[in-house]
Amino acid sequence: VWVYGGEEECYAKGQVLSLDDSKGTVSYRIKVAGSTRDVRADSVLKANKDRQDGEMDNTFLRELNEASLLHNIRVRYNGADDGGCYTVTGHILIAVNPFRDLSIYDEKQIKRYLGRPIGSEPPHIYAVADRMYRLLASTNESQAIVVSGPSGAGKTETCKLVLRHLAYVTKDVTAAGMSKSSMELGSLLVMTNPLLEAFGNAETVLNRNSSRFGKFTQIHVSRKGAILGASIQTYLLESTRVVSQSANECNYHIFYQLVNSPDMAKHQISSDANKYTYLKSASGKATPRRGMDAKEFTVVSEVIDSIGVSNDVKLALISTISGLLHLGNIKLSENPNGDSYVSDMSELQLTSKLLSTNEGLLLQGLCSRTMKLKGSEMQIPLKPHEAQNSRNALAKAIYSKIFSWIIQQINSSLMDPNTKLDGSGILGILDIYGFENFEKNSLEQLFINFTNEQLHQHFAISLFKTEQEIYASEGIVWPGVDWEDNSECLDVIAGKAPSSIFNTLTEHSRLPKSNDGEMTEKLLADQRKSKYLFPPKLGKHGGPGGGGKAQRLTNKEAFVISHFAGQVIYRTEGWLRKNTDTLHEDLQLCMSSSTSPLLAQMFSVGTINAITGGSKGGSKRAGFVADKYARQLDELMRTLRCTQSHFVRCIKPNHEQKPRVFKDKLVLDQLRNSGMVDAVRLLSAGYSTRLPFNTLEKQFKPLCPAKFQSLPPAEFCVALLTAFNLSRTDFLLGLTKAFFKSGKLA
């Protein structure tokens, strides 16, 4: 059996010595690693025999539970086979980051999986990618692959492998009237990754190349299997990273690539990252880099050329990135009146030159704001901290627009406007952040966890559909099972009721004198009967596992949501400011009057919505971040619901990024947060153990009398299971497999 030993130990293998039910509850005396323990029955799960260690498909395990799932993944990961980083549970692929180069991704491996049904070859991302493409080609039903996991789990690399497979299988397929061939479009999709990573990825403590945004790539495929074009939609770029980073973390790659580029001096940039405020982390120093920035800058420059950006615009882009670094160096001091002023005009002059803005307008926009009264205007000086916030808001706004503009340029290169998409299908690749629960959780974590709640619901519904198809393919009637619907939790966060979190946040963002505390109190009062949202209890620094002195968070400071993956405490400090996605009018005017071909386009009134994804028509809610994100996510979910979805759960085995190091607690938390443990429970409610007839024959026929050995596979299995005295409710026989209730084939 497996014995749960708490958060740190997770599960240890033991042997039952005795059972005691004399006190009204069942408990076991178990021998574990030479010692004896008395444990409650709910801390014990059945284990499989050692011969089942390392099964490629977890549904082949005769005992399927979270302990056996964790153990089997660990055994495969620590094995000698490079393919051990992959395990499947039915059609769900679990990919554990190996943190080393493997020999299983070359062209020979792509060919190995071409046209092969799932299960006929060892688990692999190429198997999932090939199944997607073949299903689209044969049924014309759109397909999507959802790749999720925490930072450093390998999501980005997994998506690259899907694109590599797709580029290979479509290289010889052509479509009439296309300006680019399938091979060119497939190669371009792969080739644009360095540009996306330069502007959207950053080095963190846990991951050298961490994606700081979500991405959904839609690839349009003709009925003959040719790529017609593609588009990329992004979600939740972490704009705060542009102006501040935690200790030992970095800003976006592009800044360091520019600092280390051969042409840095030409762009008014020093090679010393410590000279730039925006490149210094909370430690006070620039974090040493682990990448090859100079070489990568050259690659990024080549990609920009390849997607059709003119040289003038490319130079304007580089100049703008340089200008952002110098913008962060503008010193805003306090004068005798307590108002802000720029104490070093040289940095402001250089910033203005690089951004091609009017120096006077930039100075005015940083140190004051215009207040409009009846028929007149007056300048209101900003305090130093207000001026710093204003400067940082400008930096974040410029960078966010640059990122959106880059996505727009990539999409233009991937989709010919004259291409006819009638009758084409879609292959979607969703690279999305996993569930988060930190010591301090803010609005960003709520957005991420709301996304995961939506995807968890989609995952459960898709799993039901896939299970039905598996049973149907074996000629078995689907035995319906119950599952816990999370619709109520979704409604609490973003439902139509005025009391939902997003609606409450928007309402208080509109009110001129509201504050975060009032909003939080109102939310808790309105949701007092909800089982998914409630006040915070005594905690350590507001999050799980936080050290230090315990403190009580008040109803003005935080609330708790009970998510599918566990309870999360959200601190609401700064939420109203974060939700109001606006730049004050003086700085908007300054940027829109820029002579830069890039900034003038980005900040002109007619193109702001196109570049930022805002709502057209001047909706009253258009400027609120939560509403924008809810609309984006709603559109994504509608798209996913129209596809047959495939799921890849990327797992990070250790924080040190070392090969062959597997931390049980870390992995088990991810299996729970990804919904895999819930999936196991759902499967176990049906017939979770599936064994091919030939497996049963191979194991038991040699032990049977001669007359049994001559029976055909299906008849032999019926005779065998009848001899085992199994009830007909304990198993089902399909065309090629036997389906068992969990634990019934021990």
Side-chain angles (χ1 to χ4, degrees):
V1 294
W2 292 107
V3 183
Y4 187 68
E7 286 294 317
E8 294 305 320
E9 184 185 31
C10 289
Y11 288 97
K13 212 166 192 179
Q15 183 178 4
V16 177
L17 300 177
S18 63
L19 181 150
D20 180 11
D21 59 357
S22 60
K23 297 179 181 179
T25 58
V26 179
S27 62
Y28 294 97
R29 174 155 291 181
I30 296 177
K31 185 177 182 180
V32 180
S35 63
T36 302
R37 300 183 191 177
D38 291 324
V39 297
R40 290 166 52 95
D42 57 8
S43 296
V44 179
L45 294 171
K46 291 182 179 180
N48 293 293
K49 295 187 182 299
D50 291 346
R51 65 172 176 266
Q52 280 214 289
D53 285 354
E55 285 280 8
M56 292 187 292
D57 189 338
N58 292 310
T59 63
F60 288 2
L61 297 174
R62 298 182 183 184
E63 297 291 346
L64 183 56
N65 50 57
E66 72 172 24
S68 61
L69 177 70
L70 176 68
H71 175 68
N72 195 55
I73 293 170
R74 179 178 59 241
V75 170
R76 284 188 56 74
Y77 181 77
N78 289 330
D81 180 14
D82 273 1
C85 62
Y86 292 118
T87 310
V88 291
T89 304
H91 285 167
I92 307 162
L93 182 69
I94 300 171
V96 186
N97 195 332
F99 292 123
R100 59 191 174 93
D101 293 330
L102 303 180
S103 60
I104 57 172
Y105 299 117
D106 56 16
E107 186 176 316
K108 180 181 177 182
Q109 291 295 321
I110 294 179
K111 291 179 179 178
R112 177 181 182 178
Y113 288 89
L114 293 181
R116 302 289 293 163
I118 292 285
S120 61
E121 296 288 344
H124 201 293
I125 187 60
Y126 288 160
V128 180
D130 191 73
R131 181 170 185 260
M132 275 177 58
Y133 180 72
R134 300 300 163 193
L135 282 172
L136 176 61
S138 62
T139 67
N140 204 39
E141 180 184 359
S142 292
Q143 308 287 312
I145 183 168
V146 180
V147 182
S148 64
S151 179
K155 300 186 298 296
T156 300
E157 294 304 314
T158 296
C159 290
K160 287 181 187 176
L161 291 169
V162 174
L163 289 174
R164 183 187 299 176
H165 179 276
L166 185 61
Y168 181 84
V169 296
T170 59
K171 63 185 176 68
D172 297 322
V173 188
T174 58
M178 293 291 296
S179 59
K180 292 186 179 78
S181 67
S182 281
M183 181 186 293
E184 288 175 306
L185 285 167
S187 299
L188 192 57
L189 266 169
V190 175
M191 191 173 64
T192 55
N193 271 309
L195 178 59
L196 275 172
E197 291 179 7
F199 284 87
N201 289 26
E203 188 168 317
T204 67
V205 173
L206 303 178
N207 185 2
R208 195 200 75 77
N209 189 33
S210 174
S211 296
R212 310 312 300 167
F213 65 103
K215 178 178 67 174
F216 185 51
T217 305
Q218 294 187 77
I219 303 163
H220 298 273
V221 180
S222 73
R223 290 188 176 183
K224 292 184 178 180
I227 297 178
L228 301 176
S231 62
I232 296 170
Q233 174 70 56
T234 60
Y235 305 90
L236 272 186
L237 177 73
E238 186 188 18
S239 59
T240 53
R241 184 171 290 269
V242 176
V243 299
S244 64
Q245 308 94 44
S246 300
N248 302 317
E249 296 210 345
C250 295
N251 209 318
Y252 287 101
H253 292 331
I254 187 62
F255 291 110
Y256 305 93
Q257 291 170 358
L258 179 58
V259 164
N260 291 289
S261 73
D263 298 329
M264 58 189 172
K266 186 169 69 176
H267 301 297
Q268 307 289 325
I269 288 294
S270 166
S271 61
D272 183 4
N274 280 292
K275 289 189 175 181
Y276 300 103
T277 301
Y278 284 164
L279 299 188
K280 294 179 183 178
S281 72
S283 67
K285 295 181 179 180
T287 302
R289 300 277 292 168
R290 292 173 280 175
M292 299 170 63
D293 293 319
K295 181 180 178 181
E296 289 167 358
F297 182 80
T298 302
V299 173
V300 168
S301 181
E302 291 171 353
V303 175
I304 292 173
D305 293 335
S306 71
I307 62 174
V309 175
S310 69
N311 193 56
D312 286 347
V313 175
K314 182 173 78 170
L315 290 175
L317 173 63
I318 296 171
S319 181
T320 302
I321 297 299
S322 303
L324 285 176
L325 289 178
H326 287 285
L327 177 63
N329 283 0
I330 294 176
K331 294 180 180 178
L332 296 159
S333 303
E334 185 175 4
N335 66 20
N337 296 325
D339 300 327
S340 63
Y341 76 100
V342 175
S343 56
D344 182 2
M345 287 297 294
S346 62
E347 281 289 359
L348 184 132
Q349 290 164 354
L350 181 53
T351 301
S352 179
K353 178 183 176 182
L354 290 167
L355 298 180
S356 301
T357 61
N358 180 282
E359 186 181 314
L361 286 177
L362 181 59
L363 177 62
Q364 177 180 305
L366 290 177
C367 296
S368 64
R369 63 182 178 86
T370 301
M371 177 177 284
K372 293 184 178 181
L373 302 172
K374 294 179 180 179
S376 64
E377 295 180 351
M378 63 182 297
Q379 292 299 122
I380 306 297
L382 299 178
K383 302 299 181 186
H385 74 276
E386 293 174 329
Q388 288 167 9
N389 289 339
S390 184
R391 178 197 62 194
N392 292 344
L394 176 60
K396 290 187 286 185
I398 292 173
Y399 194 84
S400 295
K401 290 180 188 295
I402 286 174
F403 185 71
S404 297
W405 178 83
I406 284 170
I407 299 300
Q408 200 177 63
Q409 301 310 301
I410 291 174
N411 287 344
S412 295
S413 71
L414 292 173
M415 180 64 75
D416 187 330
N418 297 319
T419 300
K420 294 181 179 179
L421 299 177
D422 298 343
S424 66
I426 291 174
L427 286 177
I429 305 171
L430 180 63
D431 175 356
I432 205 76
Y433 13 66
F435 188 86
E436 292 185 351
N437 190 2
F438 299 139
E439 188 174 317
K440 291 184 179 180
N441 301 289
S442 189
L443 186 60
E444 294 82 2
Q445 279 67 52
L446 178 62
F447 287 158
I448 288 170
N449 293 343
F450 174 54
T451 304
N452 279 273
E453 281 285 355
Q454 289 270 26
L455 291 173
H456 180 67
Q457 185 183 66
H458 179 64
F459 173 60
I461 293 170
S462 297
L463 182 58
F464 267 93
K465 184 179 177 182
T466 302
E467 282 292 285
Q468 287 175 312
E469 290 171 353
I470 290 172
Y471 281 85
S473 69
E474 287 289 321
I476 298 174
V477 177
W478 158 252
V481 296
D482 295 326
W483 67 292
E484 188 173 344
D485 188 4
N486 65 340
S487 295
E488 191 176 336
C489 182
L490 293 172
D491 287 340
V492 164
I493 299 171
K496 293 181 179 179
S499 59
S500 73
I501 296 173
F502 284 179
N503 282 337
T504 302
L505 179 58
T506 293
E507 186 60 32
H508 282 262
S509 297
R510 284 199 189 107
L511 300 175
K513 294 185 179 180
S514 186
N515 57 57
D516 300 317
E518 290 177 359
M519 177 205 69
T520 311
E521 282 188 313
K522 179 72 162 57
L523 179 65
L524 286 167
D526 290 346
Q527 294 281 357
R528 60 188 177 277
K529 294 182 180 179
S530 173
K531 66 177 182 180
Y532 289 97
L533 190 149
F534 39 88
K537 299 176 182 178
L538 185 66
K540 293 181 178 180
H541 294 295
K549 186 178 179 180
Q551 62 181 33
R552 181 175 294 280
L553 293 167
T554 69
N555 288 12
K556 287 187 174 184
E557 296 176 298
F559 60 83
V560 181
I561 296 181
S562 182
H563 289 286
F564 75 93
Q567 293 183 3
V568 178
I569 302 173
Y570 294 98
R571 293 192 177 202
T572 56
E573 181 183 359
W575 280 31
L576 296 183
R577 174 178 50 79
K578 290 178 179 179
N579 191 45
T580 308
D581 187 19
T582 57
L583 194 63
H584 74 72
E585 195 171 331
D586 298 68
L587 288 175
Q588 288 272 15
L589 176 63
C590 176
M591 290 298 108
S592 64
S593 63
S594 169
T595 57
S596 161
L598 198 60
L599 289 173
Q601 176 193 357
M602 289 178 181
F603 283 88
S604 64
V605 176
T607 59
I608 287 175
N609 285 333
I611 292 176
T612 62
S615 176
K616 296 179 181 178
S619 165
K620 292 181 180 179
R621 300 175 68 114
F624 297 119
V625 175
D627 293 324
K628 285 182 185 178
Y629 188 63
R631 286 195 300 272
Q632 272 193 323
L633 188 57
D634 186 53
E635 184 179 338
L636 170 65
M637 297 312 301
R638 281 201 303 270
T639 302
L640 286 179
R641 291 182 193 115
C642 295
T643 69
Q644 179 172 346
S645 296
H646 311 257
F647 297 90
V648 179
R649 297 313 196 211
C650 293
I651 302 294
K652 185 176 186 177
N654 64 80
H655 286 313
E656 295 74 29
Q657 302 180 52
K658 293 181 179 178
R660 301 192 185 281
V661 176
F662 191 98
K663 300 291 181 68
D664 284 8
K665 181 184 183 302
L666 179 64
V667 174
L668 183 58
D669 284 345
Q670 291 172 69
L671 291 173
R672 289 170 174 169
N673 291 347
S674 67
M676 281 308 305
V677 170
D678 284 343
V680 164
R681 292 193 187 108
L682 191 151
L683 290 169
S684 297
Y687 292 79
S688 58
T689 304
R690 295 93 188 259
L691 293 180
F693 291 155
N694 57 12
T695 300
L696 291 169
E697 281 188 293
K698 184 178 179 181
Q699 185 172 347
F700 293 105
K701 258 192 177 180
L703 306 176
C704 295
K707 64 179 181 179
F708 281 94
Q709 295 189 20
S710 62
L711 291 174
E715 292 180 25
F716 171 77
C717 289
V718 171
L720 176 71
L721 299 177
T722 302
F724 283 163
N725 201 29
L726 285 179
S727 166
R728 286 309 301 252
T729 60
D730 292 334
F731 70 93
L732 298 172
L733 292 179
L735 300 175
T736 64
K737 295 177 183 176
F739 290 60
F740 299 90
K741 285 283 189 182
S742 181
K744 292 301 179 180
L745 191 66

